[in-house]
């Protein structure tokens, strides 16, 4: 509970769009890791919820990146690379766990990140 509250406060305090994108990617990666931990512990219901949440964070990251680019600003290459790498890792792990719904979201986001390049 407290960690979620902390993360919500941090999200509101971050004003730099690039840092916010990085924050969303970090949150997505942390949530994926928590989902994997729950899946290993045979808590599939909780794990599925975490995998759904990881997609939400990644969608926020891609949306923030697209908005930044739509403003006519150049998105740093390392941000696009980080998004690409993170999505590839998510795809790999979710396909191993046969998480079809979460995997569909990742594939859609990969196409959107490719358009940002």
């Amino acid at each position: 509970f407290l960690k979620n509250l902390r993360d919500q406060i941090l999200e509101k305090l971050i004003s730099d769009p690039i840092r916010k994108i990085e924050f969303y990617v970090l949150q997505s990666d942390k949530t994926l890791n928590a989902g994997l931990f729950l899946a290993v512990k045979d808590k599939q219901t909780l794990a599925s919820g975490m995998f759904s949440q990881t997609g939400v964070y990644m969608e926020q990251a891609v949306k923030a990146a697209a908005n930044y680019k739509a403003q006519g600003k150049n998105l740093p290459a390392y941000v696009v690379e980080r998004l690409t790498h993170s999505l590839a890792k998510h795809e790999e792990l979710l396909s191993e766990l046969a998480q079809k719904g979460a995997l569909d979201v990742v594939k859609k986001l990969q196409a959107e990140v490719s358009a940002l390049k």
Side-chain angles (χ1 to χ4, degrees):
F1 166 75
L2 291 177
K3 288 181 181 181
N4 285 336
L5 180 62
R6 175 202 62 199
D7 292 341
Q8 290 174 357
I9 291 170
L10 277 174
E11 179 184 0
K12 300 292 185 221
L13 292 176
I14 298 171
S15 60
D16 180 27
I18 299 299
R19 296 285 180 223
K20 193 162 273 206
I21 294 167
E22 292 172 344
F23 174 78
Y24 289 139
V25 172
L26 175 65
Q27 291 301 106
S28 180
D29 291 345
K30 286 179 10 181
T31 307
L32 177 66
N33 193 30
L36 292 172
F37 178 77
L38 290 169
V40 168
K41 296 288 185 182
D42 282 334
K43 298 184 178 188
Q44 298 303 323
T45 305
L46 290 173
S48 293
M50 295 303 267
F51 294 139
S52 296
Q53 185 63 34
T54 195
V56 170
Y57 282 125
M58 196 55 79
E59 284 178 339
Q60 289 175 316
V62 172
K63 182 179 175 183
N67 288 340
Y68 187 79
K69 190 163 183 169
Q71 294 174 358
K73 299 176 183 174
N74 288 332
L75 197 59
Y78 77 91
V79 172
V80 176
E81 182 63 32
R82 185 161 181 204
L83 279 166
T84 304
H85 183 266
S86 184
L87 283 168
K89 191 64 174 177
H90 286 221
E91 178 182 22
E92 174 188 337
L93 294 173
L94 292 171
S95 64
E96 287 176 12
L97 295 170
Q99 291 291 324
K100 178 103 173 83
L103 192 57
D104 291 341
V105 170
V106 168
K107 289 184 184 254
K108 179 187 82 138
L109 292 173
Q110 283 176 325
E112 291 179 25
V113 169
S114 293
L116 295 174
K117 292 181 181 179

